[in-house]
Amino acid sequence: MTQCPKCGKTLRLYHWRPECPYCGVNVVYYNSNDRMLAETEYAEIEHAHSQPRIDRAKAAFFGSPLAIVRIVLSALPIAALFLPLGRLSRSVGASFNVIGIYRYLSENSFDGVVKNALSGDALTLSLVLLALSVVLWLVCLICLPMSLGKHGKGRNLILNLLLLGTAAASAVNFALRAGTLLLGAYIYLFLLAVILVYNLLPPVRRLPIKHTVCYIGGLPSDEYFDMKAQGVSELEIRKKMVAALTAMQEEVRRKAAEEEAQALAKRAARR
């Protein structure tokens, strides 16, 4: 069941005709222009609200050379994990990297790994901390496009500190209790420290954002929202929208006329 948009009477299932049985208005087309305008305005408002988030994501990800360098730096640590990371004291000559860590963790049950880590097993605890740092690295990479948001800078700093802290704890625990660190571990820690320092640089914390101008009914979104906040009547807003759209159409016609005149001039010159 629904209601007639004009008289407000309830329309039931057996009222199958498009005309309202009470007032005779066509329910489908009644006030269709206003409804279409309202739907269009709603879509443009939603776009105006979401566009700043898109602009910030673009600026944080590839909006400037500093942002591109940050992406490259943030992706490098995972390559260091494929280098030899450590050698166990009880296995002379045997080294391991992230592939060996994955095999070790996958061959044991989750409960068993957690139990060994909590019981103080040096190797398992080191590998769990390293795996946690890899997860945090992935989270940092995913959160980079959101780093210019309201809480982005603080979140980015906390994640980088946790990432470097878990990796350092894993390395120290392994070096003191389980074996010897190799080149890959030092490169991994160095790259994480470089990322942390780079993200603290003032130019990186203030990456430039190129804002896209959004229009609502032909009016810039900032102007539209200001009028709404000031309590300007809908009629006055509609009048300004009509004037703005008319100006846009005239500008489009002017540019089209100029392009056509230039094309005709080029043809005449060729002849």
Side-chain angles (χ1 to χ4, degrees):
M1 293 184 297
T2 185
Q3 289 182 329
C4 174
K6 183 178 181 181
C7 65
K9 298 288 187 179
T10 300
L11 302 178
R12 304 189 181 277
L13 294 176
Y14 52 81
H15 294 143
W16 55 272
R17 294 181 181 276
E19 294 80 14
C20 174
Y22 304 104
C23 64
V25 72
N26 190 303
V27 178
V28 178
Y29 295 107
Y30 177 77
N31 215 14
S32 60
N33 289 335
D34 290 341
R35 283 187 281 127
M36 186 179 298
L37 182 61
E39 291 174 1
T40 303
E41 185 176 323
Y42 175 78
E44 290 175 337
I45 290 172
E46 291 298 313
H47 176 257
H49 285 310
S50 62
Q51 186 61 45
R53 292 193 290 269
I54 298 174
D55 292 338
R56 289 194 296 268
K58 289 181 179 179
F61 211 67
F62 51 80
S64 64
L66 288 174
I68 296 174
V69 170
R70 182 171 66 171
I71 292 295
V72 174
L73 283 177
S74 298
L76 284 178
I78 199 66
L81 295 178
F82 289 91
L83 299 173
L85 298 174
R87 181 184 295 113
L88 294 174
S89 299
R90 60 175 180 267
S91 300
V92 179
S95 61
F96 62 88
N97 59 9
V98 69
I99 298 176
I101 295 172
Y102 173 76
R103 289 175 180 172
Y104 173 82
L105 295 177
S106 61
E107 289 173 357
N108 297 274
S109 65
F110 178 79
D111 293 338
V113 171
V114 173
K115 183 178 180 181
N116 289 338
L118 294 178
S119 63
D121 182 71
L123 176 61
T124 304
L125 180 58
S126 296
L127 298 186
V128 168
L129 288 171
L130 182 60
L132 180 58
S133 75
V134 174
V135 173
L136 287 170
W137 167 82
L138 184 59
V139 173
C140 287
L141 204 60
I142 294 173
C143 289
L144 272 184
M146 299 178 285
S147 61
L148 295 180
K150 183 178 180 181
H151 305 292
K153 296 176 183 178
R155 178 177 59 242
N156 194 38
L157 177 60
I158 292 172
L159 287 174
N160 278 274
L161 287 172
L162 289 174
L163 171 57
L164 181 59
T166 52
S170 172
V172 171
N173 182 71
F174 182 84
L176 293 179
R177 301 175 58 198
T180 304
L181 295 177
L182 298 180
L183 180 64
Y186 292 108
I187 295 178
Y188 182 63
L189 290 171
F190 173 75
L191 289 174
L192 295 184
V194 169
I195 293 171
L196 176 61
V197 173
Y198 187 81
N199 283 319
L200 290 175
L201 295 177
V204 178
R205 292 178 63 84
R206 294 191 296 268
L207 289 173
I209 302 175
K210 184 179 179 181
H211 295 284
T212 303
V213 180
C214 298
Y215 293 92
I216 301 173
L219 298 175
S221 58
D222 292 341
E223 182 180 348
Y224 174 85
F225 292 134
D226 286 342
M227 287 191 295
K228 282 287 188 180
Q230 294 169 8
V232 179
S233 66
E234 289 292 333
L235 180 60
E236 188 65 26
I237 293 176
R238 291 283 187 268
K239 288 180 180 179
K240 291 192 175 183
M241 285 181 174
V242 171
L245 290 172
T246 302
M248 286 183 177
Q249 291 175 352
E250 291 176 354
E251 181 66 16
V252 170
R253 293 194 191 99
R254 186 186 64 81
K255 289 183 178 179
E258 289 179 354
E259 291 176 357
E260 185 177 358
Q262 291 175 359
L264 290 174
K266 288 182 181 178
R267 291 175 188 172
R270 290 174 184 171
R271 294 176 184 174

